[in-house]
Amino acid sequence: MKKYYTDKKSLTFLRVVTLIIIICIIYGLKYLMYYLRQKYPKYFVTINVTVPEIVVWSLIAIFVIAYVLFILIILPLWYTTVSYALTDEEIIAKYGLFAKVRQYMKLSAVQYITRLSFPFSKYTSFNFIFVNALGGRLVLMFLSDKDAKEIALQIDRYLKSRAGL
Amino acid sequence: MKRQHPIAIFRLITKNFWLLIFPLIRGLAALRFDFYTWVQGAYFDIIIIVVILVSAVERWYFTKFEIGEKEFLYESGWFFKIKYAVPYAVLSAVTTERIFLMRPFGAVKIFLDSDGIAFGASAKAADVKITTSLKESEKLFRNIQKETTKATVKYKVSRPGWMFFSLVFSSALSGAVFLITFFMQGGKIVGERLEQTFYMAVNDMTKLAGTIIKGVSPAMVVISIIIAGGWFISFVRNLLRHDNFTIARKDKNIIITNGFLTKRKYYINTDKVNYADLRQSLFMKLCRVMSVHVNCSGYGKAKNEIPVFVPISRCENICGTMKMVLPSFILSDNEICANTNALFRFLWPPGALIFLFLVMSLIAVVLFPGWSLFILFLAIMSEIPSTTLLIVKLVAFYTNGISFKNDVVCLRYCTKFQYHTVIVPKTRIAKVTIRQSFFQRLNCTCDVIINTNSEYTKSHRVRGMTLCDAVKLIKSAGISELTQ
């Protein structure tokens, strides 16, 4: 039985991408405030703390808190819980931080697999394998390029041998 | 290759045709059959109707089929031509339907289905759907069962017995859903007249009820009509559907016939049956009766159809029938049951509902004292199902469980108000999931979710099992080499 884990490269990539997106959103919100100040100068001069300012700063705070909570704390912890195992007879997936999930799928039940790789997946580890059986699906997420190829090849070999090819 | 029965053209006509034709005919009648003025005013609608008709005729003309010795050939379309062959060996279910209105024309609807999904079709649709003559449908059944040599074992449900069970156990809810759908869909076709008739009936009923019991509000009457009407419709539908129910086994094949107005005949390949589901409500459990449903691609798949294998009967009768028609689906006692620590997980949702309705009713009475009688009625009406649910879940806590014996998995669980005893051959299990929520991790319990082979995702969730027992059982049954 060989065990596979999620590749940390995908976590780093997710962190960087979400950080860039949040910076862009914050910049956009700040620009919106700047635009509103230019358009309605009288309103912003007369009132100390304006409604648009409260909304914009609240949104920025929500985004920053969400980033810290989900991307910097929960997601890395969730990554440590994920593991996949491939035996001669079955595929096992274990994951879950708050709710612990263990999934077992017999290879004999597998009908076909789909390998989904994003562009530059070699560097981002955005590789997914969808194992499809009649009545169920198992998703193996954030695998390294090498692991994804290895798993796909092994299942493919099994399916071919089962079909007598 | 042959074409479908000409009556198939009516089946191929879209619903929009009927939405357009009735107002058009009404318009023509309103104009006292002044055809010229009618065409001038409604020429666009007439063009659409002609296009719909031409399209239906075109689809009928270019759809052809052939019932071969070993396979069914199907061809449709002229611009994008689809052609495929379905070998009889891969068929899981074949259904023939003789609708009441079609019977004088000798037309039969045939649905062929396999575990796969046909090109361009959804999982919920049959692989092949054609309308043909009775002679052709008989030829199809003859060819499918060609290799069958063994004698037939037949079981017929006694009419008075199941009529009594239908009368007692018909579900008001499913009938109410049908009633509401009927008013919504019917209203679209015949306009507001249907709703107006309903309101008038409610008005008359309110007056009548007012003379018998003082202080009856129209809302109470509407709710009562929906419940009573729902139950009655459900009973009549059960009667019409399951009248003349017979089930026969010939070697590997099961033939089911039923129906009063619409005669149905099903052929099921027992090798393709994914699981059998023995269903009971709380009341049915008390009376020791149940019904059997099976999951087999193509069986009971059509709209408004239920995959009933054996209609409501006494438990002893059901067990006997199951032994006769599905001998490998053996029922066994629970090997593991729900953990005592999981009791709260069973009881909190209905408990919360009871509390919620109570609080809401009290708040409503304080805010609207003038409506207190109606609020009290609503509170009672909502507390009855909530309390029933609490009892259902309490019973489920004692009955839930899993067993693995004779290469068959037996799962006992409860969904909403219904108890399920699911029997699955080990080979038909697609996926096993053990799920532990945060609270379940504290008391070492888990939910076992088993996905069975099916055209669409179908899972069975047994709640509140002890984690180590579940793992040990699944491991010992050879379902998985799992480790904790």
Side-chain angles (χ1 to χ4, degrees), chain A residues 111-122:
Chain A
Q111 296 299 306
Y112 65 95
I113 57 163
T114 309
R115 190 182 146 202
L116 176 68
S117 293
F118 280 66
F120 311 109
S121 62
K122 201 173 174 183

PDB file of all heavy atoms in Angstrom, chain A residues 111-122:
ATOM      1  N   GLN A 111     -15.302   2.745 -12.753  1.00  0.00           N
ATOM      2  CA  GLN A 111     -15.654   2.666 -14.170  1.00  0.00           C
ATOM      3  C   GLN A 111     -14.622   3.397 -15.027  1.00  0.00           C
ATOM      4  O   GLN A 111     -14.156   2.887 -16.018  1.00  0.00           O
ATOM      5  CB  GLN A 111     -17.039   3.294 -14.400  1.00  0.00           C
ATOM      6  CG  GLN A 111     -18.169   2.566 -13.708  1.00  0.00           C
ATOM      7  CD  GLN A 111     -18.318   1.146 -14.192  1.00  0.00           C
ATOM      8  OE1 GLN A 111     -18.444   0.892 -15.379  1.00  0.00           O
ATOM      9  NE2 GLN A 111     -18.290   0.192 -13.273  1.00  0.00           N
ATOM     10  N   TYR A 112     -14.283   4.613 -14.616  1.00  0.00           N
ATOM     11  CA  TYR A 112     -13.263   5.379 -15.341  1.00  0.00           C
ATOM     12  C   TYR A 112     -12.730   6.480 -14.436  1.00  0.00           C
ATOM     13  O   TYR A 112     -13.332   6.776 -13.397  1.00  0.00           O
ATOM     14  CB  TYR A 112     -13.832   5.983 -16.635  1.00  0.00           C
ATOM     15  CG  TYR A 112     -14.903   7.017 -16.436  1.00  0.00           C
ATOM     16  CD1 TYR A 112     -14.603   8.382 -16.415  1.00  0.00           C
ATOM     17  CD2 TYR A 112     -16.225   6.643 -16.249  1.00  0.00           C
ATOM     18  CE1 TYR A 112     -15.590   9.331 -16.226  1.00  0.00           C
ATOM     19  CE2 TYR A 112     -17.218   7.579 -16.051  1.00  0.00           C
ATOM     20  CZ  TYR A 112     -16.899   8.922 -16.053  1.00  0.00           C
ATOM     21  OH  TYR A 112     -17.892   9.851 -15.854  1.00  0.00           O
ATOM     22  N   ILE A 113     -11.573   7.041 -14.829  1.00  0.00           N
ATOM     23  CA  ILE A 113     -11.033   8.141 -14.030  1.00  0.00           C
ATOM     24  C   ILE A 113     -10.829   9.377 -14.914  1.00  0.00           C
ATOM     25  O   ILE A 113     -10.649   9.261 -16.117  1.00  0.00           O
ATOM     26  CB  ILE A 113      -9.689   7.768 -13.334  1.00  0.00           C
ATOM     27  CG1 ILE A 113      -8.639   7.327 -14.363  1.00  0.00           C
ATOM     28  CG2 ILE A 113      -9.887   6.727 -12.275  1.00  0.00           C
ATOM     29  CD1 ILE A 113      -7.235   7.361 -13.814  1.00  0.00           C
ATOM     30  N   THR A 114     -10.861  10.534 -14.295  1.00  0.00           N
ATOM     31  CA  THR A 114     -10.598  11.781 -15.014  1.00  0.00           C
ATOM     32  C   THR A 114      -9.469  12.495 -14.293  1.00  0.00           C
ATOM     33  O   THR A 114      -9.563  12.704 -13.079  1.00  0.00           O
ATOM     34  CB  THR A 114     -11.851  12.695 -15.008  1.00  0.00           C
ATOM     35  OG1 THR A 114     -12.961  11.931 -15.451  1.00  0.00           O
ATOM     36  CG2 THR A 114     -11.676  13.919 -15.873  1.00  0.00           C
ATOM     37  N   ARG A 115      -8.426  12.825 -15.017  1.00  0.00           N
ATOM     38  CA  ARG A 115      -7.324  13.567 -14.395  1.00  0.00           C
ATOM     39  C   ARG A 115      -7.416  15.013 -14.849  1.00  0.00           C
ATOM     40  O   ARG A 115      -7.418  15.294 -16.044  1.00  0.00           O
ATOM     41  CB  ARG A 115      -5.990  12.949 -14.819  1.00  0.00           C
ATOM     42  CG  ARG A 115      -4.835  13.498 -14.036  1.00  0.00           C
ATOM     43  CD  ARG A 115      -3.526  12.914 -14.487  1.00  0.00           C
ATOM     44  NE  ARG A 115      -2.510  13.939 -14.359  1.00  0.00           N
ATOM     45  CZ  ARG A 115      -1.387  13.953 -15.013  1.00  0.00           C
ATOM     46  NH1 ARG A 115      -1.107  12.997 -15.871  1.00  0.00           N
ATOM     47  NH2 ARG A 115      -0.512  14.910 -14.824  1.00  0.00           N
ATOM     48  N   LEU A 116      -7.516  15.912 -13.898  1.00  0.00           N
ATOM     49  CA  LEU A 116      -7.637  17.335 -14.222  1.00  0.00           C
ATOM     50  C   LEU A 116      -6.380  18.053 -13.746  1.00  0.00           C
ATOM     51  O   LEU A 116      -6.085  18.084 -12.552  1.00  0.00           O
ATOM     52  CB  LEU A 116      -8.877  17.920 -13.537  1.00  0.00           C
ATOM     53  CG  LEU A 116      -9.115  19.417 -13.687  1.00  0.00           C
ATOM     54  CD1 LEU A 116      -9.469  19.764 -15.124  1.00  0.00           C
ATOM     55  CD2 LEU A 116     -10.230  19.884 -12.775  1.00  0.00           C
ATOM     56  N   SER A 117      -5.631  18.625 -14.700  1.00  0.00           N
ATOM     57  CA  SER A 117      -4.408  19.361 -14.355  1.00  0.00           C
ATOM     58  C   SER A 117      -4.531  20.785 -14.861  1.00  0.00           C
ATOM     59  O   SER A 117      -4.843  20.997 -16.037  1.00  0.00           O
ATOM     60  CB  SER A 117      -3.191  18.701 -14.993  1.00  0.00           C
ATOM     61  OG  SER A 117      -2.979  17.447 -14.424  1.00  0.00           O
ATOM     62  N   PHE A 118      -4.304  21.733 -13.981  1.00  0.00           N
ATOM     63  CA  PHE A 118      -4.377  23.132 -14.375  1.00  0.00           C
ATOM     64  C   PHE A 118      -3.065  23.518 -15.083  1.00  0.00           C
ATOM     65  O   PHE A 118      -2.072  22.808 -14.950  1.00  0.00           O
ATOM     66  CB  PHE A 118      -4.590  24.015 -13.134  1.00  0.00           C
ATOM     67  CG  PHE A 118      -6.015  24.032 -12.676  1.00  0.00           C
ATOM     68  CD1 PHE A 118      -6.611  22.893 -12.181  1.00  0.00           C
ATOM     69  CD2 PHE A 118      -6.776  25.187 -12.743  1.00  0.00           C
ATOM     70  CE1 PHE A 118      -7.928  22.879 -11.761  1.00  0.00           C
ATOM     71  CE2 PHE A 118      -8.100  25.195 -12.335  1.00  0.00           C
ATOM     72  CZ  PHE A 118      -8.673  24.042 -11.840  1.00  0.00           C
ATOM     73  N   PRO A 119      -3.051  24.634 -15.807  1.00  0.00           N
ATOM     74  CA  PRO A 119      -1.781  25.061 -16.428  1.00  0.00           C
ATOM     75  C   PRO A 119      -0.702  25.253 -15.351  1.00  0.00           C
ATOM     76  O   PRO A 119      -1.006  25.703 -14.243  1.00  0.00           O
ATOM     77  CB  PRO A 119      -2.141  26.385 -17.097  1.00  0.00           C
ATOM     78  CG  PRO A 119      -3.620  26.357 -17.255  1.00  0.00           C
ATOM     79  CD  PRO A 119      -4.153  25.529 -16.152  1.00  0.00           C
ATOM     80  N   PHE A 120       0.501  24.915 -15.686  1.00  0.00           N
ATOM     81  CA  PHE A 120       1.671  24.980 -14.773  1.00  0.00           C
ATOM     82  C   PHE A 120       1.469  24.114 -13.520  1.00  0.00           C
ATOM     83  O   PHE A 120       1.940  24.460 -12.438  1.00  0.00           O
ATOM     84  CB  PHE A 120       1.986  26.431 -14.364  1.00  0.00           C
ATOM     85  CG  PHE A 120       2.052  27.387 -15.519  1.00  0.00           C
ATOM     86  CD1 PHE A 120       1.078  28.339 -15.726  1.00  0.00           C
ATOM     87  CD2 PHE A 120       3.118  27.309 -16.422  1.00  0.00           C
ATOM     88  CE1 PHE A 120       1.130  29.202 -16.807  1.00  0.00           C
ATOM     89  CE2 PHE A 120       3.177  28.177 -17.506  1.00  0.00           C
ATOM     90  CZ  PHE A 120       2.182  29.127 -17.700  1.00  0.00           C
ATOM     91  N   SER A 121       0.722  23.046 -13.679  1.00  0.00           N
ATOM     92  CA  SER A 121       0.429  22.201 -12.506  1.00  0.00           C
ATOM     93  C   SER A 121       1.696  21.576 -11.915  1.00  0.00           C
ATOM     94  O   SER A 121       1.714  21.183 -10.751  1.00  0.00           O
ATOM     95  CB  SER A 121      -0.570  21.115 -12.885  1.00  0.00           C
ATOM     96  OG  SER A 121      -0.014  20.286 -13.869  1.00  0.00           O
ATOM     97  N   LYS A 122       2.752  21.514 -12.722  1.00  0.00           N
ATOM     98  CA  LYS A 122       4.024  20.979 -12.235  1.00  0.00           C
ATOM     99  C   LYS A 122       4.561  21.858 -11.097  1.00  0.00           C
ATOM    100  O   LYS A 122       5.197  21.386 -10.160  1.00  0.00           O
ATOM    101  CB  LYS A 122       5.019  20.953 -13.399  1.00  0.00           C
ATOM    102  CG  LYS A 122       6.165  19.994 -13.210  1.00  0.00           C
ATOM    103  CD  LYS A 122       6.987  19.909 -14.459  1.00  0.00           C
ATOM    104  CE  LYS A 122       8.206  19.056 -14.211  1.00  0.00           C
ATOM    105  NZ  LYS A 122       9.068  19.001 -15.390  1.00  0.00           N
TER     106      LYS A 122
END
